Amino acid sequence: MAQLTCENLTLGYNSKVILENLNFSVNAGDYLCIVGENGSGKSTLMKTILHLLKPISGTIKTGDGLLADEIGYLPQQTEVQRDFPASVREIVLSGCQSRCGRRPFYIKEEKKLAHDTMEKLGILPLERRCYRELSGGQQQRVLLARALCATQKMLLLDEPVTGLDPEATEEMYELIKKLNDDGITIIMISHDIDTALQYASHILNIGKNIFFGEAKDYVRNPDSIL
């Protein structure tokens, strides 16, 4: 059974259609890269999967033990967010908020989760540092740790290497691949087709021409944007 299924999905804003009749599914452990030209609806699709936007029509279903609130999200950063005056530990811990319900504090298990996640992503020595003092690559690791505190099942990543230098970009891609190898399902928007084909198990190309399938088959697809 698929973790995520989109059926006959039509997306847009204020009844203006951006993308229509979209069908695809994601299984546990998949690494799906969403590609397409600017304005094709990639970020709109991701926000719709997260229930931040409503689809114009069609359905999005979760299954295989995945609940709608068990999807971690790493959005593109704004300049304001890059200057956020909180500690690394505070930001990572905030990923546990969905676990708290109405409880106004974090329990021992949630603090341990944040600690272990920071250690896993190599940012534990930074936990007392102010977020806005970090490099771009370090900030992305912090936000990835925050997303992991929300889920151990599926991560949605919107252009996670935007603005990073080549070394930090490679490190981020390797880190995401390691998380996928550990069993976390990845859905990532990317403009880097070559890297998408290097790491992804599946490709969703949206826009005028829609393709969904295994990455190896995308190369042979005459409508691909390679």
Side-chain angles (χ1 to χ4, degrees), residues 82-189:
R82 289 190 180 95
D83 200 38
F84 195 66
S87 73
V88 167
R89 182 175 182 273
E90 288 171 332
I91 290 176
V92 174
L93 256 176
S94 69
C96 296
Q97 286 181 352
S98 63
R99 304 169 185 267
C100 295
R102 295 185 178 182
R103 174 167 36 86
F105 55 87
Y106 299 111
I107 59 176
K108 182 171 64 175
E109 288 79 7
E110 291 158 355
K111 293 176 182 178
K112 184 178 186 304
L113 174 62
H115 178 279
D116 292 348
T117 303
M118 286 188 287
E119 186 173 42
K120 183 176 185 178
L121 270 60
I123 57 172
L124 188 58
L126 305 175
E127 66 173 331
R128 302 295 177 186
R129 291 274 303 277
C130 182
Y131 176 78
R132 63 184 177 189
E133 297 174 355
L134 305 181
S135 69
Q138 289 170 334
Q139 287 187 345
Q140 285 298 81
R141 283 177 179 251
V142 171
L143 295 180
L144 189 57
R146 181 184 185 276
L148 279 171
C149 281
T151 182
Q152 295 293 306
K153 295 182 179 180
M154 179 181 285
L155 286 175
L156 271 59
L157 313 173
D158 191 350
E159 293 285 357
V161 300
T162 298
L164 302 186
D165 62 42
E167 182 179 356
T169 294
E170 184 176 353
E171 289 176 354
M172 180 58 65
Y173 279 133
E174 289 293 336
L175 183 56
I176 293 168
K177 182 60 168 67
K178 184 179 184 301
L179 294 174
N180 181 242
D181 290 342
D182 289 342
I184 295 176
T185 305
I186 302 294
I187 301 178
M188 181 176 73
I189 293 175

Side-chain angles (χ1 to χ4, degrees), residues 9-62:
L9 206 58
T10 296
L11 309 176
Y13 293 94
N14 301 320
S15 299
K16 178 184 178 182
V17 173
I18 296 177
L19 184 66
E20 57 186 337
N21 196 32
L22 181 63
N23 294 274
F24 70 95
S25 60
V26 181
N27 293 323
D30 282 353
Y31 189 144
L32 172 67
C33 272
I34 304 173
V35 300
E37 297 178 353
N38 289 336
S40 59
K42 300 185 296 296
S43 292
T44 301
L45 171 59
M46 192 163 279
K47 290 175 182 177
T48 304
I49 291 172
L50 291 162
H51 301 288
L52 300 175
L53 294 173
K54 290 184 178 180
I56 293 175
S57 63
T59 59
I60 298 175
K61 301 175 183 176
T62 55

